[in-house]
Amino acid sequence: MTEYFEVHERDGAARLGELRLAEPVATPALADPFLRDAGSLWAESREVPDGDESSLTVLPHRAFPAGTREEVRESFAVDHPDVDYPSAAVVDSESAREVGADAYVLADAAGFVGHGEAFRDALVAAKESLPADTALTLSGVATPRNVALLAYAGVDLVDATLARTKGTQGMYCTADAEHFLEDLDELPCACPACAQPRAEFTRADCAEHNVNALRAELRRVRERIRAGRLRDYIEGQTRHEQWLTAAFREFDDQWGYLEERTPLMRDAEVTAATAETLDRVEIRRFADRVTSRYRNRFADQPLVLVPCSATKPYSDSQSHRQFHDAIQWRGHTVSMTSPIGVVPQELETTYPAQHYDAVVTGDWSEDEIEFVAEVLRRYLRRNDYSRVIAHVPDHGYREICERVERDPDVDAPFEYTCVGHPTSDESLGELNAALQGEPAYSKREREHNTVRALADYLLGDGAGDDLFGGRGASGASAEGDRYGGEADIRTTGRYPKLQVWGDDPDAGREGEPGEQLATMVPQYGTLSFTLAGARRWVESDAPTKRVEIDPFVPHGSVLAPGVVDADDDIRVGDEVVIEGPNAFAVGRAEMSGPEMVESTRGVASEVRHVDETQ
């Protein structure tokens, strides 16, 4: 249990936290000013120091280098005392365990920092073994060039030992390089240490500069985490050293570690500027949910594939308005885009579909083509269409469609209607002609299918019908009969600000269509439930995200100490049902489910509506 460290914001594995000393410290941070080491027990026995709240005290310890055999570590293990001041325990990544400290120092950091796979394995192992609400510390390894990646991986505290040492050796460090001091004709920095003529700049000044550069880089990292944009920075930053690039890619392969810690939605734009963008959690999660949870309910219409647009959501763009004028609701519109994959019209506002910006050159890389083709292939294997009208240009889009069309597991025939540019009069005329005779679906059907699709995406396969009605809700078991049935809800408002109501006028207030169940949140393309909607959710067969709390009535938020249990699949931003002996509530998660259970500080969930129960 920690009393002195709390996480406030999360950006993947990176955290913006607060070390609650006499003078609070925002993390990730440089620990030198407040870290006090009680010393190693290898040299001599040590007394437990009289610490205080002005510093973080490293308790007496025995550090083991990387590769130390387990029997040796066990033989010389230290019993950590229980102290009432901010404390840090020295452990190693292979045998890290909770000892009641507020921070943990990985003694074997020098053995894995510099090697991509080893770094990933050590950080993941340590994070899985140590409490979520404690600060992870690495000593003797941080430089201005690597500290952003350390924070991205989940490190909260570093020291300036290595940066200072490099300076005394004549190595001038910046965020993107390390230079021999003798090779510099001009100092590329304006910090106080560098504010002097180059001829008078000494190695002592170089050491001071390196520490300043490390401190400045940590400030940049904290601001990136606040903005939810650290990943964008990392994609460029790790190019400056080979092992950083390797480690970055190794973490992308560690899907479970990053996915659990990445918010479901946020305000930050996803910048698609490198090949690694395709490996981002937000991108892979969206593609996975579209191809494993979403179901097309426009059973009588063909699929119309169209290119994406720079304007988000797509339906607000001039090109998509022209597409809609030609389609006239006679086909189910799905947009193709890199790096997202495919975006059904019902999910166009769902994060990150309206929160990304891609570099547009007109040329598609092979990785982009294969990624989007695979997503489209999986989408068509899951959803049945009588035919596919591909209203897409050449240069990537057409090649993707032709690859999928050749797949023997894709039954729907393809038709191509684009002649030159997709919005040319001839192209739009061909699109309109291809849809002649197709029935149009109604506004009511469009709105009902949108909120059910959102429920599928957010809660799980079939959740839309289980929660808001459809053939699956009436008990049909055949897969072909499960989707596309009549919803038992009503919708009001103007898209994308839809309100969802139960289809029972007697249950609501006078003049209302029924009892309100949920509201569509257009900023993120999600659903916000009322208490009635939450109860309906709990009573349905839809997968429920539950937070169990102690016997109290929450107002405003639920703090982590009040959480008894939480579902493992809860992510930051998820809609959650909060239940306890004295309360039933609904809100939005501020921690992942596992972190709610492990943490002793911080807000676990915001509370939107609450009912006191007996």
Side-chain angles (χ1 to χ4, degrees):
M1 175 182 293
T2 178
E3 297 181 9
Y4 295 100
F5 182 70
E6 181 176 337
V7 179
H8 293 306
E9 297 183 43
R10 296 155 183 82
D11 187 6
R15 294 109 58 90
L16 189 68
E18 181 182 9
L19 191 61
R20 296 177 178 272
L21 304 180
E23 295 185 8
V25 177
T27 64
L30 196 60
D32 301 62
F34 54 82
L35 198 65
R36 302 290 179 267
D37 190 353
S40 171
L41 293 170
W42 288 117
E44 58 182 325
S45 61
R46 307 275 183 177
E47 296 292 329
V48 177
D50 296 325
D52 59 61
E53 295 192 1
S54 66
S55 60
L56 179 66
T57 301
V58 180
L59 299 173
H61 53 83
R62 290 191 183 96
F64 300 97
T68 301
R69 293 185 302 180
E70 183 177 355
E71 58 267 29
V72 175
R73 292 197 303 266
E74 291 178 352
S75 297
F76 293 96
V78 174
D79 292 327
H80 293 86
D82 184 15
V83 297
D84 59 0
Y85 50 79
S87 65
V90 175
V91 297
D92 62 85
S93 59
E94 294 184 33
S95 60
R97 60 188 177 89
E98 180 181 0
V99 296
D102 304 290
Y104 291 85
V105 183
L106 295 190
D108 53 341
F112 57 74
V113 171
H115 186 283
E117 184 178 2
F119 175 70
R120 179 203 65 189
D121 291 346
L123 264 290
V124 171
K127 284 287 191 174
E128 289 178 348
S129 301
L130 298 173
D133 58 347
T134 54
L136 185 65
T137 307
L138 298 189
S139 177
V141 295
T143 67
R145 185 161 55 171
N146 71 23
V147 74
L149 180 72
L150 301 185
Y152 176 78
V155 176
D156 303 292
L157 296 171
V158 297
D159 64 22
T161 302
L162 182 58
R164 187 177 291 108
T165 299
K166 284 179 176 289
T168 60
Q169 294 171 343
M171 188 67 70
Y172 187 96
C173 300
T174 65
D176 59 358
E178 293 181 0
H179 308 272
F180 288 109
L181 187 56
E182 291 77 7
D183 294 339
L184 291 176
D185 294 325
E186 187 175 357
L187 301 175
C189 175
C191 76
C194 298
Q196 56 182 301
R198 170 66 186 87
E200 299 176 10
F201 191 80
T202 66
R203 291 192 174 191
D205 296 323
C206 188
E208 183 182 348
H209 155 77
N210 286 355
V211 175
N212 290 338
L214 180 58
R215 187 177 290 112
E217 185 68 0
L218 283 165
R219 289 177 180 173
R220 183 177 295 112
V221 167
R222 289 195 297 269
E223 191 54 40
R224 286 280 179 169
I225 296 173
R226 287 188 188 97
R229 301 291 299 273
L230 182 59
R231 169 71 188 223
D232 297 336
Y233 182 62
I234 285 290
E235 287 188 9
Q237 176 66 13
T238 55
R239 293 294 189 275
H240 300 308
E241 190 172 1
Q242 285 84 349
W243 90 265
L244 296 177
T245 305
F248 173 54
R249 292 174 177 171
E250 293 287 351
F251 271 97
D252 273 349
D253 289 338
Q254 196 70 32
W255 163 257
Y257 178 77
L258 289 179
E259 193 279 331
E260 178 183 314
R261 293 163 172 81
T262 300
L264 183 66
M265 60 197 66
R266 47 189 166 182
D267 294 328
E269 177 185 273
V270 174
T271 301
T274 71
E276 279 78 16
T277 299
L278 296 174
D279 294 321
R280 290 182 69 141
V281 167
E282 300 95 322
I283 302 300
R284 294 174 60 187
R285 179 193 279 154
F286 186 87
D288 177 69
R289 292 192 177 194
V290 166
T291 55
S292 66
R293 296 185 177 191
Y294 170 84
R295 286 282 187 176
N296 167 46
R297 293 179 172 85
F298 298 98
D300 299 328
Q301 277 76 29
L303 170 63
V304 181
L305 293 174
V306 297
C308 65
S309 66
T311 300
K312 314 292 189 308
Y314 303 135
S315 59
D316 286 349
S317 70
Q318 183 177 357
S319 61
H320 277 244
R321 287 174 181 170
Q322 291 175 286
F323 298 154
H324 288 315
D325 288 343
I327 296 169
Q328 289 294 311
W329 312 113
R330 295 171 295 172
H332 179 223
T333 305
V334 172
S335 300
M336 297 172 58
T337 179
S338 176
I340 302 292
V342 299
V343 182
Q345 62 187 14
E346 306 96 300
L347 300 180
E348 68 166 0
T349 64
T350 300
Y351 184 87
Q354 71 162 332
H355 303 82
Y356 76 97
D357 193 14
V359 176
V360 179
T361 64
D363 296 322
W364 291 58
S365 69
E366 174 58 29
D367 287 343
E368 289 177 296
I369 290 174
E370 185 50 40
F371 175 80
V372 179
E374 178 58 25
V375 175
L376 179 59
R377 188 179 294 118
R378 289 163 54 192
Y379 178 86
L380 287 173
R381 288 172 182 169
R382 177 174 171 82
N383 294 285
D384 293 328
Y385 291 95
S386 60
R387 59 190 176 123
V388 178
I389 299 173
H391 189 72
V392 296
D394 294 333
H395 311 299
Y397 290 103
R398 179 72 177 250
E399 182 175 349
I400 290 168
C401 291
E402 290 175 344
R403 286 191 187 186
V404 175
E405 184 182 12
R406 292 192 293 267
D407 190 317
D409 294 329
V410 175
D411 296 329
F414 277 64
E415 304 171 35
Y416 297 92
T417 57
C418 191
V419 182
H421 197 277
T423 59
S424 69
D425 290 343
E426 187 176 1
S427 291
L428 294 173
E430 290 290 329
L431 177 57
N432 178 57
L435 291 166
Q436 287 297 321
E438 294 287 352
Y441 50 86
S442 66
K443 175 184 176 183
R444 176 176 178 273
E445 184 180 3
R446 183 168 73 249
E447 292 180 349
H448 289 185
N449 287 350
T450 295
V451 297
R452 289 193 288 179
L454 290 176
D456 287 344
Y457 181 90
L458 297 168
L459 307 181
D461 186 14
D465 287 343
D466 292 332
L467 187 55
F468 297 134
R471 296 180 206 174
S474 62
S477 58
E479 185 69 15
D481 291 335
R482 186 174 183 188
Y483 298 92
E486 189 73 18
D488 62 2
I489 56 173
R490 297 188 184 186
T491 51
T492 60
R494 184 175 181 179
Y495 177 85
K497 298 179 180 180
L498 299 176
Q499 291 86 46
V500 186
W501 306 78
D503 194 12
D504 181 7
D506 294 333
R509 293 176 294 185
E510 184 176 354
E512 293 181 343
E515 195 169 30
Q516 187 171 2
L517 305 176
T519 299
M520 183 177 170
V521 183
Q523 293 93 327
Y524 312 111
T526 185
L527 293 174
S528 176
F529 288 103
T530 64
L531 283 172
R535 289 194 176 92
R536 183 162 172 163
W537 180 14
V538 169
E539 293 166 2
S540 76
D541 293 330
T544 309
K545 299 179 187 293
R546 297 174 186 258
V547 178
E548 182 184 350
I549 62 173
D550 284 323
F552 66 95
V553 179
H555 294 286
S557 62
V558 171
L559 300 182
V563 174
V564 175
D565 199 7
D567 289 342
D568 286 343
D569 62 348
I570 293 173
R571 300 292 178 259
V572 175
D574 261 327
E575 195 79 353
V576 293
V577 171
I578 302 160
E579 295 180 284
N582 296 348
F584 179 88
V586 64
R588 198 165 296 281
E590 295 293 325
M591 294 180 178
S592 67
E595 191 174 3
M596 290 183 188
V597 177
E598 293 178 20
S599 297
T600 56
R601 297 194 70 90
V603 176
S605 175
E606 297 294 343
V607 175
R608 186 182 314 109
H609 306 291
V610 61
D611 258 358
E612 186 172 354
T613 60
Q614 297 299 324

